[in-house]
Amino acid sequence: GAVVSQHPSWVICKSGTSVKIECRSLDFQATTMFWYRQFPKQSLMLMATSNEGSKATYEQGVEKDKFLINHASLTLSTLTVTSAHPEDSSFYICSAGGTSTSYNEQFFGPGTRLTVL
Amino acid sequence: DQQVKQNSPSLSVQEGRISILNCDYTNSMFDYFLWYKKYPAEGPTFLISISSIKDKNEDGRFTVFLNKSAKHLSLHIVPSQPGDSAVYFCAASITGNQFYFGTGTSLTVIP
């Protein structure tokens, strides 16, 4: 089955620093990847849609200058949290839909837990 | 390798009938399981969860069953309503640190 990996799985950083999270589709090409943030009551919030070779589409209320998304290849999308603050501490999850998968099929990464001190 | 699997990409059910969505997992260390519902163009929303110490959890029309020996969980929706039409993802976690998601099952409830 298709596998999506995320790196790192857990990161702790100081306030004001930037953190990059990678999302990789290991055995398929993903033209579209999605970035989610998980809130305390366990709902996932879609942050942005990342399209290979073009700018990401951000959901309303998500600061594009703070959450930089790059989808430079068909197997890699990165989310950079710039000037992180404690309120950015959360669980970030990516998912990918490949060109060969059905429209509704999404392969999720295991998530990255970010803790900002 | 996919640790959480939803082998049925789609399911169609008549309104008023029961919808049963299935999920299988391979890692016996998973201790928490969740179901998410996703509408098109929206992020998944949490639906119901179950701890590994239980075998059933019920919330209104939604019931999740866990069979640890078979490494299988299922979501029952009864009665099914047209508004339930969405994609449903199951997810599994080890102590809440990482979540492994299935690939989703698209449910269509036919009026």
Side-chain angles (χ1 to χ4, degrees):
Chain A
V3 177
V4 174
S5 70
Q6 282 186 240
H7 177 80
S9 57
W10 198 326
V11 57
I12 301 173
C13 69
K14 291 183 178 180
S15 183
T17 61
S18 295
V19 175
K20 180 185 285 188
I21 303 170
E22 294 185 348
C23 176
R24 292 181 185 272
S25 56
L26 298 185
D27 50 3
F28 69 103
Q29 295 182 325
T31 55
T32 304
M33 289 184 174
F34 301 88
W35 286 96
Y36 299 87
R37 181 174 175 175
Q38 186 169 37
F39 285 94
K41 291 191 175 181
Q42 300 171 342
S43 62
L44 289 177
M45 182 196 80
L46 178 64
M47 299 175 65
T49 302
S50 170
N51 298 298
E52 187 269 335
S54 64
K55 291 183 179 180
T57 303
Y58 290 81
E59 297 298 305
Q60 191 172 8
V62 178
E63 300 175 62
K64 61 178 70 176
D65 294 330
K66 181 169 183 62
F67 298 98
L68 300 178
I69 292 174
N70 183 282
H71 194 155
S73 76
L74 285 170
T75 60
L76 173 65
S77 176
T78 60
L79 167 68
T80 301
V81 182
T82 62
S83 187
H85 291 284
E87 57 265 30
D88 298 324
S89 297
S90 190
F91 198 74
Y92 293 88
I93 301 174
C94 71
S95 72
T99 56
S100 60
T101 61
S102 64
Y103 176 80
N104 286 320
E105 216 167 12
Q106 285 291 311
F107 301 97
F108 285 85
T112 297
R113 182 168 297 282
L114 170 63
T115 301
V116 184
L117 302 176
Chain B
D1 192 29
Q2 198 78 14
Q3 296 192 52
V4 179
K5 298 180 182 179
Q6 292 176 256
N7 293 318
S8 298
S10 62
L11 174 68
S12 291
V13 173
Q14 287 285 341
E15 182 179 5
R17 298 287 187 95
I18 184 172
S19 295
I20 301 177
L21 297 99
N22 294 303
C23 181
D24 298 293
Y25 60 96
T26 58
N27 192 336
S28 58
M29 296 296 292
F30 289 139
D31 58 8
Y32 195 58
F33 303 88
L34 311 92
W35 282 95
Y36 288 85
K37 179 179 181 179
K38 183 183 183 301
Y39 291 112
E42 293 181 15
T45 56
F46 169 71
L47 195 59
I48 192 170
S49 64
I50 188 168
S51 165
S52 61
I53 62 174
K54 295 185 176 181
D55 55 18
K56 177 183 175 181
N57 187 26
E58 189 174 1
D59 183 3
R61 296 186 297 114
F62 303 93
T63 303
V64 57
F65 294 91
L66 176 63
N67 184 333
K68 290 187 290 294
S69 61
K71 294 190 178 69
H72 177 84
L73 70 155
S74 61
L75 174 68
H76 293 212
I77 306 173
V78 56
S80 300
Q81 299 173 354
D84 296 330
S85 296
V87 179
Y88 290 79
F89 296 93
C90 68
S93 169
I94 302 173
T95 66
N97 284 327
Q98 288 188 328
F99 291 84
Y100 295 85
F101 288 84
T103 54
T105 297
S106 178
L107 173 64
T108 302
V109 179
I110 304 166

